[in-house]
Amino acid sequence: MPGLYSSATSQQPMASLGVRPATYSSTSVHEQDSGLDWAGQIVDKHMLEDRSYPDLSELLQVPSHDYPTASGLSEYDYPSHSVHGVGLSSLAQVRETKHTPLPPELVERFAHMQCNCNMGLFPEINRAWLTIDSDIFVWNYEDSGDLAYFDGLNETILSVALVRPKPDIFQSHIQFLLCLATPIDIVLLGVSFTSSRAGGAAEEPYAEMHLLPDPLFTIPSDNTYVTDIAASGNGRVFMAAKDGCLYELFYQAEDGWFTRKCRKINHSHSKLSFLVPSFLNFSFLEDDALVQIAIDDTRNILYTRSEKGTLQVFDLGSDGLGMSRVASVSQQTAVYNASLIVRTIDKSNFKPIVHVAAVTSEESANIHLVAVTHTGVRLYFSTSHFYSQQREPYTLSLVHVRLPPGFCASAAVPRPSHVHMAHYKNGALLLASSLTEEEDVLHTMSGDAFPFQRHLLETQSTTRLYGRAWALGEAPVPAPPRGSGYTPPELQRPDPPSIVTQHVQAPRRFITLTRQGSHLIDLLRPVEQLRHLLEASGGADAEAVKAFFTLHKDAQACASALILACSKAAADQQVSEWASRAFFMYGSEPRMVFPTATADVQQQQQPGLQPTNLLGAGAFSSPTVANTSIGTPGLSTRGFQPPQASTPVPGQYAGAQGFQQVGTPAATPTHGLMGPEVQFSGKHNGLYLYFYRILGSVWDGRLVSEVAYQNRQGQPALCLNSSRNADELGWYVEQLRALRDFLDKNQQYTICTVTPDRSVLPRNLQQRVIGFMRPDVSLASTNHMDQVQQQLQTKYQVEAQALEKRSLLNLHALVARTCEALGLWKILCDHQFHILVSALPPNVQDQLRMQVFCDFVVNGKELSNKLILCLISRYLGDNATTDAVSDRLRDVCPSLYSHNDAVASKASEVLQISKSVQNKHEKEAMLQESLQRYKEISTQLNLPLICQQFEEVHFFGGVVDICLTAALKRDPQGLALHFYKNGEPPEDAQGMEAFRARVDCYRAITDMLHNLLSVCLQHPQAPSVPAAPGPPPAPDYNRLTPTQAEQQMEKTLQMALKSDDELFHTVLYDWLLDMQLTDKLLEIRSAYVESYLKRSVSHQADNLQLLDMLWKFYEKSQQYIAAARILTKLAERHGSDVNLKRRVEYLSRAAICAKSADLRSTAGNEGEFLHELEEKIEVARLQTQIVDALSVKEHMRSSTMLEVIGRLNAQLFDITQLYGEFAEPFQLPECKLAIVHCAGHVDSVLIEMLWREIIEEEMKKTVGRSTETVMTTLSNRLVALGRIYASSDRFFPLEFLVRLLEQRCCQLSADAALVVNTLLAAGVHLPALLGTYDKLYRAKDPWWQSSRKPLHLLTVITKLLALFVDAPNAVAHQERRKFIAMCLDVVTAYLVDLQTMSASADTDAGALVRSFRALHAQLDRML
């Protein structure tokens, strides 16, 4: 991977220096400050470009409120990612993160519903609600927990809303109001919350919800059917009614002279309605019910939508407390205006309107309302002139029509249809359209993938919802640190695109409620998409990742990659490495750009003209800037122009005069022509861009602000206070340190500056270049000048590398200085900033009052020294020690405050004193101080002694900390880990030494844990023999009880596991295994556990315990496929350490794991793996059946049989081996039949032979017993086998079995109904059985005559028919009539045959005739 500062053309050895920027070379302080100023100017350029995103009206290309436009008809309005490379066509735009079912208690409630039910969302408190008749239930939609309900109403609930109460009316514990509307009453309930869950570590403001049992206010509804309720940000409650009126539920603390505490106000029938001018043409009818209310709290405007599509605008006044209706537009008017704008689209697409949403000032200054139709068409409205100073609304003008995907002639996606629900906010649109009557599909459209464009480009995706959407909403996004990534408030700009704030804000999350529960869907930003591509591709070497950089342009893509590369989360370690590699692979390289004469002339003739080819690389990407590759389309920025092939001199190009615009004539003395400019790489621009985005408006914001207060005399006064608090500054420091770590990790640059050899350049080269660049240059010289340009480009390439390297060095210095400046500022805030600043001289306070942060970083070293001096002076004035603040200053800002103190003796002294301190907090503070001092020592420590002393005072966390620190200092280059990962080669003496040094440090931690474990295992009441005779010894209060030792051990173990030292984790895991604490090891959530177990298994392949640990780890971490594969290997391993029963258990567990794998991530080969597992389980069960069959053999105790059983337990055999090596040689017909059935081998002769063997073998077992015993035993066995095979005619030859069994019955003179009863019990259907007997009878087999029982089959048939007559339900109702007819036919035929026989005076035939006639009569009655 190339380094950040490496030169592609330099062949000199690189040096990775781990020092701070101040020690790069022997440059002067002035040159260093010039470098910081240069870097600061580049940051300013990126700041301007990052704030140049257009307004929504500009994206929609609406020049004015009376010049409406349309979009969506072009294929480029919804571009496909596939044009940018392989892999982006399937790039996910949304991700379903969680699906939570409804609480089971609610599902039961639906059975008692009588009138109505409805569901909705309260996203501001992470709750969903459900009304069933007069009861309301509220629960957490993320985990289906915290179910609250209210059942104090008697009427059906019509509408529900959650309201933030007006200030100073209710008690402080009432955080929200729940407004419920019924046909009779309107009720306000109080809602309160506990701040966090019981036992939870994280603070959750809405963890547990409580509904007050008694309503706060209840007023009659006056037969008003409320259809919707909405609340403004200041606590006003508005209600839409079916009578077409807009009502307000007004409430106050006390009754007034003429008003009550709570009352209902009708704003549609105001007493002053006669003052409304008639030209406003309110198309409002009483029979047109209002169905929706939308409120814009940023402008204090309320919108309503009626059932017939009429839109109304109400002005709430500048303070949000007024109410006046100002405009109304009917659906007919809106459709007519839309059809005039888009004449080629059928009018039916513009109605009906199903949803309206307010467009707040945070999104657009000119667009105020968006309406969505049932086909997904968006109608954008404005309530005033564009950029008007008048903020009050006065009209409702349609300014833009946005068609959904699918209206373009070449569209590959279907159009949305049957949209019944929508959600719009901040550019994201969700449409719920009916796929079927009971299933919806969710369309998602967003422009996040194409920021900084001149017109609106959106991605679209569809998500299938397994149910009909009842509600759509967006979860609140946690507020980021103030100023991070946002434009200053004074600029009055809408919120920036998500790509600007994605490093600090969580992705937007949308909630969909269906009958299946809540579906949480995240809208993916570029950073999440890049993470997805890296994870899906398994690294950065993929076309999809490369295409991502093409899509977003290298600067913006590099800035996104830096978010992942700088992540410190343990779970992001692999992704961070991949992102770093992608950053270097696709971040382009710096180069010199030579303007051509043609381009120069074109730019002179058409200044500002930019190409708009949307099919080119990066067409939908972020803005391009020549020298930084960022900015707004159509804007050119100033490139860097080196002076005539000269070597860069430090500080020479710090000024702004070194930059010029690319593609436009530069103001140069030589006829207005421009020389070559440097175009920095995407890596360079991405780093600068990411640095600015971390700081956001802090970069150009004021350091302090004036705050009013009352002095001691009670007079108003002003004091200076920090514009950012300590927590915010801490966040900035954390982010910048991560960026600094990334720069340090990739800091490689040459020692000397590369100077191009100018001796090989032609003497008149510059004059030839100038002549070439003139507009009137002849065509004959063009080819010659192309060669000159190539020579120049080759020579300047080295200089471009050197310039970029210096710029990145300046950035590194700027990042380091910014970290120190912010760290110092945080220290000042921690020490009461306003008091410290008040002690500064007035002139310094004035300087501080006017200082902006960027100037403080670049040129504020003198001011920083004054602030540090003020802080130290305050400590000295209070007679307090300065050790702590000095240490902190030396750690936070070493370039501003250095140190040269020895700490070894002081640390030992503090540790010894702490042993005699009784106060717990003081003792802890002294121990921490001692620990910190020990950690600062760079020499070798006597770790056993120090750890022993720490253990004596129960400072177990200090043992962990000091040991890990010592290990790092003894092996700062990480040689031990390299030695370990390379298999511990004996020839690596240096790595072995480092490895042993680190293990010695870790051993102190494991010895301490072993001591704590020994105390834990002691019995609390175990007596001990005194060491000497005499009185009992004094109690040792420093000795831990087993309970205390267990608590300390758990706490210390958790602290140790937070370490990112992989080698320490390995030693710790070894100790856990040695102590048989396998459960504790499996509970660890660390990225190192898997690699440890895999390495241990590779080194000890026969260790069954390690293999069991590995699959249990995979199962616990939900890596089910990996667990299944380990379990399969365990089942298939050869050896006697695993018996057959356990192998079957392994296979069964593997199948369960494979089935538990997530279907979305399961590939086709893994489905085949599950199929193979199921086949192996089936064969293993056959092997178990063989073992069981062999175990009951009479000669089972023979050595041969025991050897065979041992062989079957030692490994798994395939089905061929089981048949040929075991079932066949040992004459196991049942096992052979099972094997043939499992293999699906159809051989009727073989199958009949196996059945015959089974029957004969079963009869041999009962030789010498009574006929009844023999047949009963045989019957039971056949019933058991028949239930397995009776459903398959191929493996259950019914005709053969009936003939064979009946013959055996004749031979044994058994009961004639025995075979019939046996086969029926085995699962043979009665019609099939009758057909088989009839077929056997008509076959006239001579065997029956020879056995002297020619009528045996007819006798059995009479028994069979008698069973049916007695129990006709044995045949299905729909088949019974047909079967009776069949019975009558065969009985008639049998009677004919029997009558012939009875003519010969056969007495048996006569009895059968009577039986069949009786059966015939009974069957006739059943028809």
Side-chain angles (χ1 to χ4, degrees):
M1 180 184 296
L4 279 174
Y5 309 138
S6 60
S7 174
T9 59
S10 174
Q11 300 299 325
Q12 299 186 13
M14 303 295 176
S16 179
L17 304 181
V19 293
R20 297 189 180 272
T23 61
Y24 286 153
S25 64
S26 58
T27 55
S28 64
V29 175
H30 173 72
E31 291 172 345
Q32 295 176 16
D33 291 342
S34 298
L36 292 177
D37 185 62
W38 183 12
Q41 291 183 29
I42 298 180
V43 173
D44 290 339
K45 285 180 170 293
H46 285 279
M47 176 187 68
L48 295 176
E49 298 298 339
D50 225 20
R51 293 177 180 176
S52 64
Y53 53 87
D55 186 89
L56 177 60
S57 59
E58 297 169 353
L59 287 174
L60 299 177
Q61 298 184 339
V62 184
S64 174
H65 74 286
D66 51 358
Y67 286 93
T69 60
S71 63
L73 286 171
S74 171
E75 61 179 324
Y76 303 123
D77 290 330
Y78 298 97
S80 172
H81 286 162
S82 59
V83 300
H84 294 281
V86 179
L88 289 186
S89 58
S90 60
L91 182 62
Q93 306 299 321
V94 296
R95 176 183 60 198
E96 185 172 356
T97 58
K98 185 185 292 186
H99 171 230
T100 306
L102 296 177
E105 301 93 328
L106 297 185
V107 179
E108 300 174 358
R109 291 278 184 168
F110 282 104
H112 306 289
M113 181 176 63
Q114 297 179 356
C115 298
N116 186 38
C117 68
N118 199 6
M119 272 199 295
L121 292 166
F122 297 146
E124 54 269 43
I125 61 172
N126 298 330
R127 297 297 192 277
W129 58 267
L130 167 68
T131 61
I132 298 179
D133 298 334
S134 61
D135 299 337
I136 183 170
F137 305 87
V138 185
W139 70 96
N140 190 318
Y141 56 70
E142 291 189 351
D143 57 9
S144 298
D146 190 31
L147 179 62
Y149 69 94
F150 181 76
D151 57 358
L153 301 178
N154 297 322
E155 300 295 331
T156 301
I157 298 175
L158 303 177
S159 296
V160 179
L162 190 70
V163 183
R164 287 192 180 272
K166 297 177 182 178
D168 303 326
I169 293 183
F170 304 104
Q171 297 180 5
S172 59
H173 70 277
I174 298 179
Q175 298 173 257
F176 289 91
L177 302 176
L178 186 60
C179 183
L180 306 176
T182 71
I184 304 300
D185 298 316
I186 301 174
V187 178
L188 281 182
L189 299 176
V191 181
S192 61
F193 294 89
T194 55
S195 60
S196 62
R197 297 183 188 273
E203 185 74 14
E204 298 183 16
Y206 306 123
E208 187 173 350
M209 180 178 178
H210 305 279
L211 291 175
L212 272 63
D214 298 324
L216 300 174
F217 293 114
T218 301
I219 63 171
S221 63
D222 301 327
N223 296 323
T224 301
Y225 192 106
V226 178
T227 57
D228 188 28
I229 305 175
S232 62
N234 58 3
R236 298 179 68 181
V237 182
F238 298 96
M239 299 176 292
K242 205 169 185 179
D243 59 1
C245 296
L246 176 67
Y247 296 90
E248 180 179 358
L249 182 64
F250 182 83
Y251 57 95
Q252 57 189 5
E254 301 291 341
D255 289 333
W257 284 99
F258 304 103
T259 58
R260 295 170 299 182
K261 286 185 180 181
C262 186
R263 65 186 187 275
K264 181 164 62 73
I265 303 174
N266 189 337
H267 290 297
S268 296
H269 293 162
S270 173
K271 294 181 180 179
L272 302 179
S273 60
F274 65 94
L275 297 178
V276 178
S278 60
F279 67 85
L280 291 179
N281 187 24
F282 295 115
S283 59
F284 193 89
L285 300 175
E286 289 188 357
D287 59 347
D288 190 8
L290 296 185
V291 293
Q292 186 188 356
I293 300 174
I295 301 177
D296 183 357
D297 287 316
T298 62
R299 298 186 179 94
N300 293 325
I301 302 177
L302 181 144
Y303 306 94
T304 65
R305 175 177 64 90
S306 72
E307 191 174 18
K308 296 182 179 179
T310 299
L311 306 180
Q312 295 185 95
V313 183
F314 292 82
D315 182 15
L316 302 182
S318 58
D319 56 357
L321 302 178
M323 171 58 75
S324 62
R325 188 171 57 184
V326 297
S328 176
V329 173
S330 66
Q331 180 173 273
Q332 182 180 1
T333 303
V335 171
Y336 175 75
N337 293 336
S339 63
L340 293 179
I341 299 172
V342 189
R343 299 179 181 272
T344 59
I345 302 301
D346 186 61
K347 292 183 179 180
S348 62
N349 291 288
F350 305 134
K351 64 179 181 179
I353 297 174
V354 298
H355 180 76
V356 293
V359 180
T360 65
S361 60
E362 297 171 351
E363 183 180 357
S364 175
N366 303 315
I367 307 296
H368 302 156
L369 179 70
V370 59
V372 182
T373 70
H374 82 295
T375 58
V377 177
R378 278 170 279 176
L379 307 177
Y380 291 89
F381 295 88
S382 179
T383 61
S384 61
H385 289 294
F386 281 15
Y387 305 106
S388 172
Q389 298 297 327
Q390 179 184 359
R391 299 186 59 183
E392 294 79 10
Y394 67 91
T395 184
L396 189 62
S397 304
L398 178 63
V399 296
H400 187 81
V401 177
R402 177 73 172 183
L403 300 176
F407 278 87
C408 173
S410 59
V413 295
R415 305 177 184 177
S417 61
H418 303 94
V419 176
H420 64 89
M421 186 174 294
H423 174 82
Y424 178 88
K425 187 177 181 180
N426 291 339
L429 175 65
L430 275 70
L431 303 175
S433 63
S434 299
L435 193 61
T436 62
E437 293 183 358
E438 297 182 355
E439 188 172 348
D440 284 355
V441 61
L442 185 68
H443 300 266
T444 307
M445 281 160 269
S446 172
D448 286 350
F450 309 109
F452 303 103
Q453 294 298 318
R454 285 178 290 180
H455 66 279
L456 183 60
L457 304 178
E458 293 181 304
T459 57
Q460 64 87 26
S461 62
T462 57
T463 305
R464 187 172 181 179
L465 300 176
Y466 294 97
R468 187 173 179 85
W470 289 39
L472 295 175
E474 181 175 358
V477 178
R482 189 156 43 105
S484 57
Y486 285 90
T487 54
E490 57 269 17
L491 294 182
Q492 295 183 354
R493 294 282 294 163
D495 288 346
S498 63
I499 196 173
V500 178
T501 59
Q502 61 182 345
H503 66 288
V504 63
Q505 279 190 335
R508 297 175 66 181
R509 174 166 292 181
F510 299 95
I511 312 103
T512 305
L513 273 186
T514 68
R515 66 179 183 180
Q516 305 293 337
S518 58
H519 303 260
L520 304 184
I521 299 174
D522 284 353
L523 185 62
L524 301 184
R525 288 95 47 95
V527 64
E528 286 91 17
Q529 292 177 335
L530 177 58
R531 174 191 290 271
H532 170 73
L533 290 176
L534 291 172
E535 292 175 344
S537 304
D541 300 319
E543 289 296 327
V545 180
K546 182 179 179 181
F548 176 87
F549 278 73
T550 304
L551 171 66
H552 290 285
K553 269 308 180 83
D554 47 7
Q556 296 288 349
C558 284
S560 298
L562 282 172
I563 301 175
L564 301 176
C566 296
S567 175
K568 296 296 184 181
D572 293 343
Q573 183 177 6
Q574 183 62 66
V575 175
S576 176
E577 294 178 1
W578 290 339
S580 300
R581 181 170 178 82
F583 175 86
F584 289 105
M585 289 180 63
Y586 310 119
S588 71
E589 295 295 332
R591 61 192 180 97
M592 287 291 182
V593 179
F594 289 80
T596 61
T598 306
D600 190 45
V601 172
Q602 290 177 350
Q603 288 287 3
Q604 290 181 5
Q605 294 176 351
Q606 299 178 351
L609 182 63
Q610 297 292 330
T612 58
N613 179 18
L614 292 178
L615 292 178
F620 314 125
S621 64
S622 305
T624 351
V625 180
N627 75 310
T628 59
S629 299
I630 61 171
T632 304
L635 296 179
S636 58
T637 55
R638 301 159 65 179
F640 190 84
Q641 179 184 6
Q644 296 187 12
S646 61
T647 303
V649 179
Q652 184 172 355
Y653 310 122
Q657 68 274 12
F659 294 90
Q660 66 180 21
Q661 297 182 359
V662 175
T664 57
T668 60
T670 311
H671 305 288
L673 296 177
M674 180 177 63
E677 305 110 7
V678 63
Q679 181 175 345
F680 290 128
S681 69
K683 300 187 292 289
H684 171 281
N685 299 331
L687 283 166
Y688 272 96
L689 187 61
Y690 184 55
F691 170 78
Y692 160 69
R693 285 178 177 173
I694 291 176
L695 293 174
S697 60
V698 175
W699 174 252
D700 60 340
R702 300 281 184 185
L703 288 177
V704 298
S705 59
E706 292 186 334
V707 180
Y709 76 103
Q710 288 186 349
N711 55 22
R712 295 180 179 178
Q713 292 75 26
Q715 300 296 327
L718 295 176
C719 70
L720 296 180
N721 202 0
S722 173
S723 59
R724 300 289 188 274
N725 59 43
D727 292 338
E728 294 170 347
L729 293 172
W731 183 88
Y732 296 126
V733 171
E734 181 182 357
Q735 299 299 312
L736 286 177
R737 284 178 178 172
L739 177 59
R740 185 187 63 187
D741 293 342
F742 176 82
L743 293 172
D744 290 339
K745 182 180 179 181
N746 301 278
Q747 184 183 186
Q748 296 176 347
Y749 54 93
T750 54
I751 298 177
C752 61
T753 304
V754 179
T755 304
D757 186 4
R758 298 184 56 203
S759 62
V760 299
L761 297 177
R763 294 182 179 180
N764 61 342
L765 181 60
Q766 183 167 353
Q767 288 76 9
R768 291 158 64 184
V769 171
I770 293 174
F772 163 71
M773 294 168 58
R774 289 175 179 169
D776 57 349
V777 64
S778 63
L779 183 62
S781 62
T782 301
N783 295 333
H784 176 66
M785 292 310 299
D786 287 342
Q787 299 177 0
V788 175
Q789 184 173 354
Q790 292 178 1
Q791 294 178 11
L792 268 177
Q793 190 166 1
T794 302
K795 300 304 177 182
Y796 275 128
Q797 187 64 32
V798 176
E799 193 159 355
Q801 295 283 350
L803 289 173
E804 173 156 317
K805 180 183 69 175
R806 178 157 300 281
S807 178
L808 289 174
L809 290 175
N810 292 334
L811 174 64
H812 191 251
L814 181 64
V815 172
R817 179 68 67 85
T818 306
C819 286
E820 295 188 14
L822 288 171
L824 172 61
W825 206 257
K826 185 178 185 300
I827 293 176
L828 297 175
C829 291
D830 291 338
H831 291 81
Q832 296 181 306
F833 181 88
H834 61 286
I835 298 178
L836 290 174
V837 173
S838 63
L840 291 172
N843 62 328
V844 179
Q845 292 189 31
D846 292 339
Q847 179 185 358
L848 192 61
R849 186 179 289 107
M850 301 302 298
Q851 191 86 27
V852 294
F853 181 75
C854 56
D855 290 339
F856 178 70
V857 172
V858 176
N859 303 311
K861 192 170 184 179
E862 181 180 356
L863 180 60
S864 300
N865 293 333
K866 293 178 180 179
L867 291 170
I868 292 175
L869 179 61
C870 182
L871 176 63
I872 298 298
S873 299
R874 177 171 175 79
Y875 268 81
L876 296 175
D878 293 340
N879 296 323
T881 177
T882 60
D883 290 346
V885 68
S886 297
D887 291 342
R888 189 176 178 189
L889 288 171
R890 287 194 296 270
D891 180 63
V892 171
C893 45
S895 67
L896 303 175
Y897 188 83
S898 60
H899 75 322
N900 194 21
D901 301 327
V903 297
S905 59
K906 182 67 176 178
S908 179
E909 175 188 350
V910 173
L911 181 58
Q912 294 300 324
I913 296 174
S914 67
K915 295 181 180 181
S916 59
V917 175
Q918 299 298 325
N919 186 281
K920 180 179 179 181
H921 298 289
E922 293 180 4
K923 186 173 185 177
E924 180 68 21
M926 298 183 72
L927 290 173
Q928 288 293 338
E929 181 183 355
S930 174
L931 172 64
Q932 295 303 321
R933 291 181 181 275
Y934 273 127
K935 290 170 64 176
E936 291 176 9
I937 301 174
S938 58
T939 57
Q940 292 291 333
L941 297 174
N942 188 356
L943 277 182
L945 178 60
I946 295 173
C947 294
Q948 180 183 356
Q949 294 176 350
F950 279 167
E951 284 189 61
E952 290 175 358
V953 293
H954 301 165
F955 191 34
F956 305 105
V959 175
V960 175
D961 203 346
I962 192 65
C963 290
L964 294 178
T965 303
L968 180 61
K969 288 188 176 181
R970 294 182 184 184
D971 179 28
Q973 297 179 348
L975 300 178
L977 184 60
H978 182 269
F979 172 77
Y980 170 78
K981 288 188 174 181
N982 285 339
E984 303 177 13
E987 62 272 12
D988 186 3
Q990 191 176 6
M992 184 182 298
E993 182 180 356
F995 180 83
R996 290 175 179 174
R998 277 186 174 262
V999 171
D1000 288 340
C1001 297
Y1002 304 147
R1003 187 177 294 113
I1005 300 177
T1006 56
D1007 290 344
M1008 175 197 64
L1009 292 173
H1010 183 77
N1011 295 337
L1012 288 174
L1013 181 62
S1014 300
V1015 178
C1016 294
L1017 299 178
Q1018 292 178 0
H1019 195 280
Q1021 303 298 330
S1024 59
V1025 179
D1036 185 6
Y1037 296 102
N1038 289 327
R1039 185 175 182 179
L1040 293 174
T1041 65
T1043 303
Q1044 292 173 338
E1046 184 178 1
Q1047 294 174 353
Q1048 290 291 344
M1049 179 180 173
E1050 183 65 25
K1051 180 179 178 181
T1052 306
L1053 191 59
Q1054 293 302 322
M1055 177 183 176
L1057 290 173
K1058 293 180 181 179
S1059 170
D1060 58 353
D1061 189 340
E1062 183 176 356
L1063 197 56
F1064 166 67
H1065 279 261
T1066 301
V1067 174
L1068 182 60
Y1069 300 159
D1070 283 337
W1071 179 81
L1072 290 174
L1073 282 180
D1074 292 340
M1075 296 295 104
Q1076 301 297 319
L1077 298 176
T1078 55
D1079 292 340
K1080 185 73 68 177
L1081 177 57
L1082 290 176
E1083 292 175 0
I1084 296 175
R1085 290 291 176 265
S1086 171
Y1088 305 125
V1089 176
E1090 181 179 359
S1091 59
Y1092 166 78
L1093 290 174
K1094 290 170 68 175
R1095 187 178 187 274
S1096 300
V1097 168
S1098 64
H1099 284 72
Q1100 305 178 47
D1102 295 329
N1103 193 322
L1104 189 60
Q1105 181 188 13
L1106 288 174
L1107 289 170
D1108 278 333
M1109 288 282 294
L1110 185 56
W1111 75 258
K1112 289 178 181 178
F1113 167 78
Y1114 281 136
E1115 185 183 54
K1116 200 157 190 175
S1117 58
Q1118 297 184 356
Q1119 300 181 50
Y1120 296 111
I1121 292 299
R1125 296 189 185 279
I1126 298 297
L1127 286 164
T1128 304
K1129 291 181 181 179
L1130 283 171
E1132 295 176 344
R1133 62 181 285 150
H1134 293 251
S1136 58
D1137 54 346
V1138 181
N1139 58 23
L1140 182 58
K1141 180 180 179 182
R1142 195 170 180 184
R1143 295 177 192 275
V1144 175
E1145 291 176 357
Y1146 280 143
L1147 289 175
S1148 301
R1149 192 67 177 251
I1152 294 174
C1153 289
K1155 292 177 181 178
S1156 301
D1158 192 352
L1159 295 178
R1160 293 173 297 176
S1161 62
T1162 301
N1165 57 348
E1166 293 173 351
E1168 295 176 1
F1169 171 63
L1170 176 59
H1171 180 67
E1172 292 175 2
L1173 273 179
E1174 292 173 344
E1175 290 182 345
K1176 289 178 181 178
I1177 292 173
E1178 193 171 355
V1179 175
R1181 288 173 179 164
L1182 290 175
Q1183 187 169 334
T1184 304
Q1185 184 179 351
I1186 291 175
V1187 171
D1188 295 337
L1190 291 175
S1191 299
V1192 300
K1193 290 286 185 179
E1194 294 180 357
H1195 52 288
M1196 61 171 292
R1197 296 185 180 180
S1198 65
S1199 58
T1200 304
M1201 190 60 62
L1202 292 177
E1203 181 181 350
V1204 171
I1205 293 176
R1207 186 182 169 199
L1208 286 168
N1209 276 292
Q1211 70 177 90
L1212 293 177
F1213 293 91
D1214 59 36
I1215 197 168
T1216 304
Q1217 292 174 316
L1218 291 176
Y1219 190 94
E1221 299 179 17
F1222 300 97
E1224 179 68 29
F1226 295 97
Q1227 295 300 317
L1228 304 174
E1230 289 188 25
C1231 296
K1232 289 192 286 185
L1233 180 62
I1235 292 173
V1236 170
H1237 180 262
C1238 179
H1241 179 68
V1242 181
D1243 186 345
S1244 58
V1245 176
L1246 175 62
I1247 292 171
E1248 291 178 1
M1249 181 188 70
L1250 292 176
W1251 278 106
R1252 182 182 297 275
E1253 291 179 2
I1254 291 171
I1255 293 172
E1256 297 298 336
E1257 183 181 12
E1258 198 66 30
M1259 295 184 69
K1260 286 179 182 180
K1261 295 179 181 179
T1262 56
V1263 172
R1265 299 185 183 181
S1266 63
T1267 300
E1268 182 179 358
T1269 302
V1270 173
M1271 297 309 296
T1272 302
T1273 303
L1274 178 62
S1275 175
N1276 293 337
R1277 192 60 194 156
L1278 290 176
V1279 168
L1281 293 174
R1283 290 174 179 172
I1284 299 174
Y1285 304 105
S1287 59
S1288 175
D1289 295 336
R1290 296 179 298 178
F1291 299 97
F1292 193 82
L1294 183 60
E1295 182 178 349
F1296 167 80
L1297 290 174
V1298 169
R1299 181 173 60 251
L1300 181 60
L1301 291 173
E1302 290 295 346
Q1303 288 176 358
R1304 294 296 179 269
C1305 284
C1306 288
Q1307 292 172 353
L1308 297 176
S1309 301
D1311 184 10
L1314 179 63
V1315 176
V1316 172
N1317 292 330
T1318 299
L1319 294 175
L1320 289 176
V1324 179
H1325 295 294
L1326 193 58
L1329 192 57
L1330 177 60
T1332 302
Y1333 274 97
D1334 182 65
K1335 183 178 180 181
L1336 289 174
Y1337 168 75
R1338 298 186 184 280
K1340 303 300 182 181
D1341 190 342
W1343 188 91
W1344 306 107
Q1345 292 289 345
S1346 63
S1347 299
R1348 298 181 180 181
K1349 291 189 177 182
L1351 301 179
H1352 176 75
L1353 292 177
L1354 291 178
T1355 303
V1356 176
I1357 291 173
T1358 59
K1359 301 293 184 181
L1360 189 150
L1361 294 176
L1363 288 174
F1364 170 68
V1365 170
D1366 295 336
N1369 291 332
V1371 179
H1373 180 74
Q1374 60 271 21
E1375 299 177 1
R1376 194 176 301 162
R1377 190 174 187 87
K1378 180 179 178 181
F1379 179 67
I1380 294 173
M1382 172 185 172
C1383 293
L1384 290 173
D1385 292 340
V1386 297
V1387 168
T1388 303
Y1390 298 154
L1391 286 173
V1392 173
D1393 293 343
L1394 290 171
Q1395 287 173 359
T1396 305
M1397 295 179 186
S1398 39
S1400 60
D1402 191 333
T1403 57
D1404 292 338
L1408 285 174
V1409 168
R1410 291 190 294 272
S1411 298
F1412 277 118
R1413 286 177 177 173
L1415 288 171
H1416 192 281
Q1418 291 176 323
L1419 290 170
D1420 275 338
R1421 290 194 295 269
M1422 293 174 64
L1423 281 176

